[in-house]
Amino acid sequence: VMRVDWLDKPANRWCVHSAPGGCGIHGSHPQLCRDFFCLWIDDTSFGPEWKPERSRFVMTKSASGKGLFLNVDIDTPDAWKAEPYYSALKRLAAGARMGAYIAVSVGERCLVVFPEEDLEVCDLGPGCEIMVGYSDHPGARQPFALVKVASGAIHRFQGRVYRN
């Protein structure tokens, strides 16, 4: 499901080295592939139901460590909204430290998960940076996401206004 620029592998396409049962060049595969571990492997708080073959998405951390990325299999685009995943993602979003975020990529569709809503944003290509937060209004707040794309342009996405 993931884009691998080093291999010129676009997202949602099989790697040219993919073979039944795994990687056809395992053992001589690129260092980039050797260094990659799905967050499901690295974080023991995610149980066996989060394994990509079962959940239908791959989880990674952002380079800054503030973001949790879900790259969803386009053949099962709503897999991340199934239980137990969706309620767990909403709990993680509610308990996130300021600036932490959860981003979901399904094909070219990208969303940032807030406790109140899933905010659609632009394509999160290579080099993108995300900042999330809330704009305060009298007696209310509004989730927002800022996405800095590789060109340096910053795009702002705002959710609905929620009364406190």
Side-chain angles (χ1 to χ4, degrees):
V1 297
M2 298 179 66
R3 171 179 33 225
V4 182
D5 294 328
W6 191 82
L7 292 173
D8 292 325
K9 183 203 150 317
N12 303 304
R13 302 285 166 116
W14 285 100
C15 176
V16 296
H17 302 295
S18 183
C23 176
I25 59 169
H26 189 76
S28 63
H29 54 295
Q31 190 64 44
L32 179 74
C33 297
R34 292 174 199 231
D35 293 342
F36 176 80
F37 286 97
C38 175
L39 190 58
W40 175 78
I41 293 171
D42 284 346
D43 188 333
T44 58
S45 69
F46 294 106
E49 67 277 10
W50 292 82
K51 186 175 183 181
E53 287 86 359
R54 192 164 169 192
S55 66
R56 308 309 298 167
F57 53 80
V58 175
M59 296 185 297
T60 59
K61 279 193 173 182
S62 67
S64 70
K66 288 187 174 186
L68 169 64
F69 283 99
L70 274 71
N71 294 281
V72 182
D73 181 346
I74 60 170
D75 291 334
T76 55
D78 292 327
W80 67 284
K81 286 190 168 185
E83 292 301 335
Y85 315 115
Y86 194 62
S87 58
L89 293 169
K90 289 295 188 176
R91 280 192 306 274
L92 286 170
R97 298 178 325 274
M98 185 54 119
Y101 60 89
I102 300 168
V104 178
S105 177
V106 184
E108 292 185 15
R109 190 167 179 234
C110 301
L111 304 105
V112 175
V113 178
F114 287 89
E116 304 86 355
E117 71 178 283
D118 305 322
L119 182 59
E120 191 144 357
V121 299
C122 60
D123 183 23
L124 302 174
C128 277
E129 297 175 29
I130 302 174
M131 188 177 97
V132 300
Y134 288 89
S135 299
D136 290 324
H137 299 274
R141 65 188 201 154
Q142 181 179 30
F144 72 84
L146 299 175
V147 179
K148 183 178 179 183
V149 295
S151 70
I154 298 175
H155 303 278
R156 183 180 180 93
F157 301 89
Q158 293 185 163
R160 295 184 298 268
V161 175
Y162 294 91
R163 298 273 170 227
N164 293 336

